């Protein structure tokens, strides 16, 4: 159980000195006192009742006054109702009308913004009053009062108040709550519910513990919604659901009935109830045994959140509240009211009013920080970044970093700087200097910003100098990882040179210096260092910065210390024509050190001497390379012979013949294979699409056993059928395309042709149209767009009725010279 005191800031007259117990369980609610005008009121008077509206509060006192307060506790209105205790205040849903009853029998119902009202003085105390929730409406001018009987008042059409007795004879009415059409009230016997719409009483829930005096341990009623009533009495809680009765079961029974869906007992006495989603907020009156004394003493009241179950409840949270003068209070002196809109809970006692509300994300983060759970606090702050109010994510993060530094976890603290400091340069530099002070610059070095946000160059230089003093490898790593523009390159170069004076053979520093020179575009110095160190990065440097002219006299040296990289090979891959004078030498080098790259080199190089290459390959018995060179030199028959005789690979021989596409080679291949059944099988399987298989089959001797002959013949037939199908398909496509193009040409030729003054006769070269268009004229226009005066055309050709364009006919254009005659 968490005892909450710090959030209820006690005034000087608080008599509680107990210390807060530490708990790792986070509270569900937070508390604060309702102060301002309330403080002054309760110094001179005592609270007797209060009701809560979303817009304001109404507070009744023991001296007969009613105060309207804003939610901060400031007094907005004051009513002098009586000289004795106000028993209950009721507000309608709109907050426009108020009902008040007092111990001297006075009942007042009036509008806060109108003059209408009801004022009556009964001859007995009136304990309760409740307005119809929709009292502002003209047809709902109803309210109930309760003393020794429950009375319903209703204003009729003559503007007079009519009184009806709803219940009497079971003692004093101690509590009443009105929700929608249902009125619930309690007396010494139990709790009743009345349906105002049907004018029927629908239930009677009996009181469990009859040994408790109902005036000392009064009933608590609360409507969760329009059909759920929560009853708390003594140590018993019941949740009642109002349900509609099946019409077939009505007979003489009420149309509604009540089912108790949950009933459980509590450890302490109930002072008030309020719903919180599907949970309950319960205010308890607590008595504890005093040390070495038999009598009980009054302890601080408790506010619990419980999860109701059918027969028990599960405690979610429990807070002991330090209210003023709790030692003098009885169970009847406390009550709990809640706001329907916002989940606010008001704990009312004679000398104190405490407001409880659900803790929000800010409160959650505060609690995590208080418990030094910085990682969780930071995550929570980042999740709620858009809605966060008073918490600065950076502030939380800085607290976390400070905590890690205090623990000595410098690497974790430095890692968090990236996330927390963000783009705040000032904070970054402050942290760097702090890490320098505690001798942990190395820890923060790898997390420094190096992108769009950059610190002053002096910061980076300071860290590099720190590494240069004690950690050459770390220094080299930073030089490789950090962009050179972060720091003054020449300053660092000078510092490295100073160290090399003491240790001139330091490989790490020399390599790093070469990298610094490279960034500074002093490639000659970098190249000199790389060559001196025989460093493999020399090749990357040469290629990246085009330093080929600088190493012409160093090729042998380069190849000597790194044969695997092979400078000439990389140069050839970069440009087949550069270094051509070394191609003859490359043949020997490839043959000696890198045969897999020899054949690709021979294929791609146009500068290597073929005779020399052939000689080298024949000496080393490189068959594939020799075959390629022979074919390139034109001796394809010899190349094919080597493939068949030395490699004995029919597939490669067939592939070679396909590449050369030479009929004589196919004949040689067939002649060589004719006495070798495996070769014949290979040819039968592959020759069909290149050479007529009959040529091969005719040469096969009778009686020769050929492996898989049947399958090979079937494949030949399948290949032949495939070729026939392909030809037929191509023919169909060709015919279809030809027909489509013919139709397109016909449509094009059938279009009209514009003839105007700019066109001329192709025979006489005079304008095609006469100057006087009123005269009769005749023009012939061919589809080829050539135009003639009809009289300028020669006589028709040999085909009667067919005229061709003279120009196109002379050029043998064929179709397209059809005639279009225009007459006027």
């Amino acid at each position: 159980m968490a005892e909450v005191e710090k959030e209820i800031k006690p005034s000087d007259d608080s008599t509680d000195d107990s210390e807060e117990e530490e708990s790792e369980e986070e509270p569900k609610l937070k508390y604060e006192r309702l102060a301002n005008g309330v403080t002054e009121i309760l110094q001179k008077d005592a609270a007797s009742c209060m009701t809560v509206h979303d817009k304001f509060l109404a507070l009744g006192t023991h001296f007969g006054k009613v105060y309207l307060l804003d939610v901060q506790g400031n007094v907005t209105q004051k009513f002098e109702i009586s000289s004795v205790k106000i028993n209950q205040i009721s507000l309608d849903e709109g907050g426009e009308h108020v009902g008040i009853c007092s111990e001297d029998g006075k009942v007042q119902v009036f509008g806060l913004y109108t003059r209408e009202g009801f004022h009556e003085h009964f001859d007995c105390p009136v304990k309760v009053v409740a307005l119809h929730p929709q009292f502002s409406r003209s047809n709902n001018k109803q309210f109930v009062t309760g003393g020794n009987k429950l009375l319903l008042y209703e204003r009729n059409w003559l503007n007079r108040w009519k009184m009806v007795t709803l219940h009497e004879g079971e003692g004093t009415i101690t509590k009443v709550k009105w929700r929608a059409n249902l009125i619930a009230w309690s007396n010494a016997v139990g709790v009743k519910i009345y349906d105002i719409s049907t004018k029927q009483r629908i239930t009677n829930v009996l009181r469990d513990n009859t040994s408790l005096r109902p005036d000392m341990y009064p009933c608590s009623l609360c409507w969760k919604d329009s059909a759920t009533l929560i009853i708390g009495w003594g140590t018993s809680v019941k949740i009642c659901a109002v349900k509609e009765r099946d019409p077939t079961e009505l007979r003489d029974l009420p149309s509604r009935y009540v089912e108790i869906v949950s009933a459980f007992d509590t450890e302490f006495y109930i002072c008030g109830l309020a719903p919180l989603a599907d949970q309950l907020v319960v205010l308890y009156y607590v008595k504890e045994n005093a040390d070495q004394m038999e009598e009980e003493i009054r302890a601080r009241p408790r506010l619990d959140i419980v999860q109701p179950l059918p027969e028990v409840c599960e405690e979610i949270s429990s807070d002991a509240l330090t209210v003023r003068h709790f030692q003098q209070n009885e169970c009847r002196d406390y009550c709990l009211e809640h706001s329907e809109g916002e989940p606010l809970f008001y704990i009312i006692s004679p000398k104190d009013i405490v407001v409880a509300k659900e803790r929000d994300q800010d409160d959650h983060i505060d609690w995590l920080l208080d418990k030094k759970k910085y990682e969780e606090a930071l995550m929570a702050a980042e999740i709620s970044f858009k809605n966060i109010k008073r918490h600065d994510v950076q502030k939380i993060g800085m607290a976390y970093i400070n905590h890690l530094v205090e623990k000595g976890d410098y690497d974790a603290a430095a890692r968090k700087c990236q996330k927390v400091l963000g783009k705040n340069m000032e904070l970054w530099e402050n942290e760097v200097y702090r890490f320098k002070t505690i001798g942990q610059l190395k820890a923060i070095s790898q997390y420094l910003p190096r992108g769009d946000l950059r610190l002053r160059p002096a910061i980076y230089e300071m860290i590099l100098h720190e590494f240069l003093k004690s950690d050459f490898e770390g220094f080299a790593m930073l030089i490789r990882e950090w962009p050179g523009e972060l720091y003054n390159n020449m300053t660092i170069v000078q510092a490295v040179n100073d160290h090399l004076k003491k240790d001139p053979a330091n490989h790490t520093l020399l390599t790093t210096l070469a990298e610094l020179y490279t960034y500074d575009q002093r490639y000659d110095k970098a190249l000199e260092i790389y060559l001196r160190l025989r460093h493999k990065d020399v090749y990357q440097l040469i290629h990246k910065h085009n330093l080929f002219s600088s190493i012409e006299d160093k090729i042998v040296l380069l190849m000597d210390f790194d044969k695997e990289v092979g400078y000439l090979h990389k140069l050839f891959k970069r440009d087949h024509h550069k270094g051509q004078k070394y191609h003859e030498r490359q043949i020997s080098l490839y043959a000696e050190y890198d045969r897999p790259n020899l054949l690709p080199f021979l294929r791609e190089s146009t500068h290597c001497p073929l005779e020399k290459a052939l000689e080298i390959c024949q000496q080393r018995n490189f068959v594939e390379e020799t075959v390629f060179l022979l074919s390139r030199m034109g001796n394809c028959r010899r190349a094919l012979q080597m493939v068949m005789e030395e490699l004995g690979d029919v597939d490669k021989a067939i592939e070679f013949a396909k590449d050369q596409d030479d009929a004589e080679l196919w004949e040689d291949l067939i002649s060589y294979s004719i006495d070798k059944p495996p070769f014949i099988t290979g040819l039968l399987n592959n020759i069909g699409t290149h050479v007529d298989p009959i040529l091969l089959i005719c040469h096969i001797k009778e009686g020769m056993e050929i492996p898989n002959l049947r399958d090979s013949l079937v494949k030949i037939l399948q290949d032949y059928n495939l070729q026939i199908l392909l030809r037929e398909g191509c023919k169909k496509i060709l015919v279809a395309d030809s027909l489509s193009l013919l139709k397109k040409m016909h449509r094009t030729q059938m279009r009209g042709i514009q003839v105007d003054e700019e066109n001329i006769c192709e025979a006489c070269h005079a304008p095609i149209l006469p100057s006087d268009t009123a005269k009769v004229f005749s023009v012939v226009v061919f589809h080829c767009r050539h135009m003639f005066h009809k009289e300028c055309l020669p006589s028709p050709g040999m085909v009667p009725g067919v005229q061709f364009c003279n120009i196109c006919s002379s050029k043998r254009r064929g179709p397209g010279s059809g005639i279009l005659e225009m007459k006027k």
Side-chain angles (χ1 to χ4, degrees):
M1 180 183 72
E3 298 190 335
V4 178
E5 180 179 8
K6 63 178 180 181
E7 294 182 4
I8 305 176
K9 302 177 178 61
S11 62
D12 295 339
D13 63 340
S14 176
T15 59
D16 183 81
D17 296 323
S18 62
E19 295 183 358
E20 180 186 356
E21 297 177 8
E22 290 294 328
S23 173
E24 284 301 314
E25 184 179 349
E26 182 178 1
K28 303 295 182 184
L29 300 172
K30 61 179 177 180
Y31 304 87
E32 61 182 15
R33 278 201 167 87
L34 194 62
N36 300 320
V38 173
T39 303
E40 184 178 348
I41 292 170
L42 298 185
Q43 284 177 349
K44 302 175 182 178
D45 204 340
S48 59
C49 62
M50 192 172 86
T51 190
V52 177
H53 190 270
D54 291 344
K55 301 175 184 176
F56 60 92
L57 313 174
L59 173 65
T61 71
H62 280 264
F63 289 172
K65 297 179 179 59
V66 172
Y67 298 89
L68 298 187
L69 313 167
D70 62 20
V71 292
Q72 282 80 37
N74 299 301
V75 177
T76 58
Q77 279 185 277
K78 176 182 175 181
F79 302 100
E80 300 276 355
I81 302 297
S82 173
S83 59
V84 295
K85 176 185 175 184
I86 301 295
N87 284 328
Q88 190 167 356
I89 303 171
S90 176
L91 296 168
D92 65 345
E93 287 182 355
E96 298 177 8
H97 293 80
V98 61
I100 305 169
C101 65
S102 59
E103 190 67 21
D104 59 0
K106 287 184 180 179
V107 175
Q108 293 190 23
V109 177
F110 55 90
L112 295 175
Y113 311 107
T114 61
R115 294 184 178 181
E116 64 176 343
F118 172 91
H119 301 273
E120 189 66 60
H121 197 158
F122 294 93
D123 57 0
C124 65
V126 178
K127 298 293 185 180
V128 296
V129 63
L131 304 184
H132 190 294
Q134 303 292 330
F135 189 87
S136 299
R137 297 182 181 179
S138 58
N139 59 339
N140 290 324
K141 297 296 184 184
Q142 297 173 310
F143 66 92
V144 292
T145 63
N148 53 15
K149 61 179 70 175
L150 185 69
L151 302 176
L152 170 67
Y153 290 85
E154 183 174 9
R155 194 162 65 182
N156 59 23
W157 63 278
L158 294 174
N159 209 28
R160 295 178 181 176
W161 290 98
K162 175 185 174 183
M163 182 184 70
V164 177
T165 300
L166 297 183
H167 185 71
E168 63 179 330
E170 292 183 355
T172 303
I173 309 296
T174 57
K175 192 75 69 177
V176 66
K177 291 289 182 180
W178 193 333
R179 180 72 174 255
N181 290 321
L182 299 176
I183 304 172
W185 72 91
S186 64
N187 55 30
V189 176
V191 176
K192 282 80 173 170
I193 300 178
Y194 183 83
D195 188 342
I196 197 75
S197 61
T198 61
K199 298 182 179 180
Q200 295 176 312
R201 197 171 76 187
I202 61 177
T203 193
N204 179 19
V205 182
L206 297 177
R207 179 162 66 107
D208 288 338
N209 193 341
T210 55
S211 63
L212 297 174
R213 287 175 53 186
D215 59 329
M216 296 298 292
Y217 297 92
C219 176
S220 296
L221 297 178
C222 174
W223 286 101
K224 179 181 179 181
D225 51 46
S226 299
T228 308
L229 177 67
I230 307 170
I231 304 172
W233 208 334
T235 58
S236 171
V237 175
K238 293 178 181 177
I239 301 178
C240 306
V242 180
K243 299 185 176 181
E244 298 289 338
R245 197 183 300 274
D246 190 329
T248 61
E249 301 177 358
L250 281 177
R251 287 173 287 183
D252 296 329
L253 298 174
S255 61
R256 297 182 179 183
Y257 70 98
V258 169
E259 178 182 333
I260 297 176
V261 296
S262 177
F264 54 88
D265 291 329
T266 62
E267 184 180 358
F268 306 107
Y269 300 107
I270 299 166
C271 307
L273 298 161
L276 178 62
D278 62 337
Q279 299 172 341
L280 286 182
V281 178
V282 186
L283 178 64
Y284 291 121
Y285 170 69
V286 180
K287 283 187 176 181
E288 295 178 348
N289 291 322
D291 294 340
Q292 299 178 350
M293 296 178 64
E294 294 184 0
E295 65 179 34
E296 295 180 325
I297 61 170
R298 298 163 186 169
R300 289 181 291 176
R302 276 178 36 165
L303 191 70
D304 286 13
I305 299 176
V306 299
Q307 178 67 57
L309 301 172
E311 297 181 355
V312 293
C313 70
E314 179 183 335
E315 182 182 290
I316 305 300
S317 72
S318 181
D319 299 328
L321 309 180
T322 305
V323 299
R324 295 187 181 105
H325 304 303
F326 68 87
Q327 299 91 337
Q328 287 85 44
N329 293 338
E330 297 282 354
C331 182
R332 63 183 176 182
D333 294 323
Y334 295 107
C335 64
L336 177 68
E337 297 290 338
H338 73 284
S339 171
E340 293 285 349
E342 187 180 358
L344 296 175
F345 306 94
Y346 294 83
I347 299 95
I348 300 105
S349 66
K351 288 296 182 179
D352 206 357
I353 299 175
V354 175
V355 185
K357 62 175 69 174
E358 285 188 284
R359 294 169 64 86
D360 57 20
Q361 189 71 353
D362 288 341
D363 300 306
H364 174 58
I365 294 169
D366 276 338
W367 184 83
L368 291 171
L369 290 174
D370 187 54
K371 298 299 179 183
K372 298 189 183 302
K373 298 183 177 182
Y374 296 102
E375 182 76 22
E376 295 177 44
L378 190 57
M379 290 176 62
E382 289 171 347
I383 291 171
S384 61
F385 180 74
K386 292 183 180 178
N387 301 318
I388 204 162
K389 296 177 182 177
R390 65 178 184 269
H391 275 292
D392 180 10
V393 176
Q394 212 164 52
K395 179 181 176 183
I396 298 169
M398 287 303 301
Y400 187 22
I401 291 171
N402 293 338
H403 172 69
L404 292 172
V405 169
E406 290 171 6
K407 283 175 56 180
D409 193 351
Y410 303 113
D411 185 69
R415 188 166 56 250
K416 285 298 170 190
C417 286
Q418 269 188 321
K419 196 174 192 179
V420 172
L421 305 184
K423 297 183 178 181
N424 192 321
M425 248 175 63
E426 183 180 354
L427 283 179
W428 266 111
E429 295 195 358
N430 289 342
E431 285 305 300
V432 171
Y433 282 114
R434 176 165 72 155
F435 273 73
K436 180 186 178 183
T437 303
I438 60 178
Q440 294 296 328
L441 273 179
K442 291 182 181 179
I444 201 172
S445 62
Q446 57 183 314
Y447 304 109
L448 290 183
R450 59 186 79 169
D452 295 335
L453 173 72
R454 294 177 181 179
L455 309 181
R456 291 182 296 111
I459 300 293
Y460 300 99
E461 291 166 16
M462 177 176 67
I463 293 175
L464 288 173
H465 282 294
E466 182 71 20
F467 273 88
L468 197 52
K469 292 177 183 176
S470 57
D471 185 358
F472 293 153
E473 293 295 336
F475 173 77
M477 182 186 71
L478 289 183
I479 293 297
R480 283 192 295 270
E481 292 180 353
W482 284 2
E485 57 268 19
L486 292 180
Y487 48 85
N488 187 321
N489 196 65
M490 292 308 300
T491 301
I492 304 303
V493 166
Q494 184 60 47
V496 175
N497 278 321
D498 290 343
H499 276 76
L500 284 172
K501 290 177 182 177
K502 305 171 188 175
D503 186 7
N506 190 297
H507 188 279
T508 302
L509 288 183
L510 285 170
T511 304
T512 308
L513 182 60
E515 293 172 4
L516 290 168
Y517 279 138
T518 301
Y519 178 76
D520 209 28
Q521 298 182 4
R522 296 161 71 179
Y523 304 123
D524 54 339
K525 289 185 173 293
L527 183 60
E528 182 181 343
I529 294 174
Y530 279 136
L531 288 174
R532 174 182 165 189
L533 297 175
R534 303 169 72 86
H535 197 286
K536 63 179 181 178
D537 286 353
V538 68
Y539 296 102
Q540 183 181 355
L541 181 70
I542 293 168
H543 281 276
K544 186 174 181 180
H545 303 291
N546 199 19
L547 304 179
F548 301 104
S549 59
S550 303
I551 47 87
E552 288 184 353
D553 58 339
K554 301 180 179 67
I555 289 177
V556 177
L557 174 63
L558 286 168
M559 294 183 64
D560 183 51
F561 78 79
D562 197 345
K563 293 186 177 68
E564 290 184 3
V565 175
Y567 166 73
L568 287 175
H569 175 69
K570 295 214 168 184
L571 179 62
F572 177 76
K573 284 295 183 184
R574 186 171 180 272
D575 189 332
H576 292 352
H577 303 289
K578 283 190 176 181
Q580 56 182 292
K581 64 181 181 179
Y582 299 109
H583 282 199
E584 181 178 347
R585 184 169 185 179
Q586 276 183 262
I587 298 170
S588 301
L589 292 171
Y590 280 125
E592 180 71 27
Y593 300 109
D594 192 8
R595 184 185 172 187
N597 280 315
L598 175 57
L599 187 56
F601 173 75
L602 295 174
R603 292 182 189 277
E604 296 171 10
S605 173
T606 57
H607 303 290
C608 67
L610 298 181
E611 294 81 1
K612 180 67 174 176
L614 181 60
E615 179 185 348
I616 293 173
C617 292
Q618 287 177 337
Q619 289 174 354
R620 297 176 179 272
N621 197 27
F622 290 172
V623 178
E624 291 188 21
E625 291 83 352
T626 302
V627 168
F628 170 75
L629 290 170
L630 286 172
S631 64
R632 187 169 172 184
M633 295 169 72
N635 195 350
C636 295
R637 302 186 76 171
R638 172 61 184 147
L640 179 61
Q641 184 181 357
M642 286 192 68
V643 172
M644 293 187 294
E645 293 180 354
E646 299 191 28
L647 293 179
D649 190 335
V650 67
D651 293 329
K652 286 190 176 180
I654 293 170
E655 193 66 33
F656 181 80
K658 287 180 182 179
D659 291 341
Q660 302 303 319
D661 195 20
D662 187 340
E664 292 184 358
L665 283 180
W666 283 109
E667 292 178 4
D668 290 345
L669 181 55
I670 291 171
S671 300
Y672 180 81
S673 304
I674 205 64
D675 59 347
K676 300 176 181 63
F679 274 50
I680 293 177
T681 302
L683 286 172
L684 288 172
N685 288 335
N686 295 280
I687 201 173
T689 55
H690 298 275
V691 179
D692 188 351
I694 297 298
L695 296 176
L696 174 61
I697 294 171
C698 291
H699 285 78
I700 299 175
K701 297 177 182 179
E702 289 188 16
M704 177 181 286
E705 291 187 9
I706 301 173
N708 302 316
L709 177 60
R710 178 181 175 277
D711 295 340
S712 299
L713 293 175
V714 169
K715 188 175 185 306
I716 289 174
L717 293 174
Q718 289 176 341
D719 290 345
Y720 178 76
N721 287 334
L722 180 61
Q723 289 183 18
I724 296 300
L725 290 173
L726 287 173
R727 287 181 181 178
E728 290 177 354
C730 291
K731 181 180 177 181
K732 289 180 181 178
I733 293 171
L734 183 61
V735 171
D737 287 350
S738 299
L739 182 59
S740 175
L741 291 172
L742 180 61
K743 289 179 179 179
K744 182 177 180 181
M745 183 184 75
H746 180 69
R747 286 196 303 271
T748 303
Q749 290 182 343
M750 292 303 293
R751 291 176 183 168
I753 299 173
Q754 181 179 356
V755 180
D756 54 26
E757 294 81 359
E758 295 182 359
N759 297 111
I760 63 171
C761 173
E762 297 293 342
C764 67
H765 301 292
I768 197 70
L769 298 178
S771 57
D772 185 3
T773 55
K775 294 180 180 181
V776 177
F777 66 93
S778 182
V779 174
V780 177
V781 181
F782 289 93
H783 290 302
C784 58
R785 299 297 195 273
H786 291 133
M787 303 177 186
F788 298 87
H789 296 125
K790 188 172 183 181
E791 58 271 18
C792 295
L793 276 174
S795 58
M798 296 180 65
V799 182
V802 179
Q803 182 79 50
F804 292 99
C805 172
N806 292 346
I807 297 173
C808 292
S809 297
S810 65
K811 295 181 179 179
R812 297 183 179 179
R813 290 192 180 177
S817 56
I819 188 171
L820 176 65
E821 185 173 349
M822 182 175 71
K823 296 181 179 180
K824 182 176 179 182

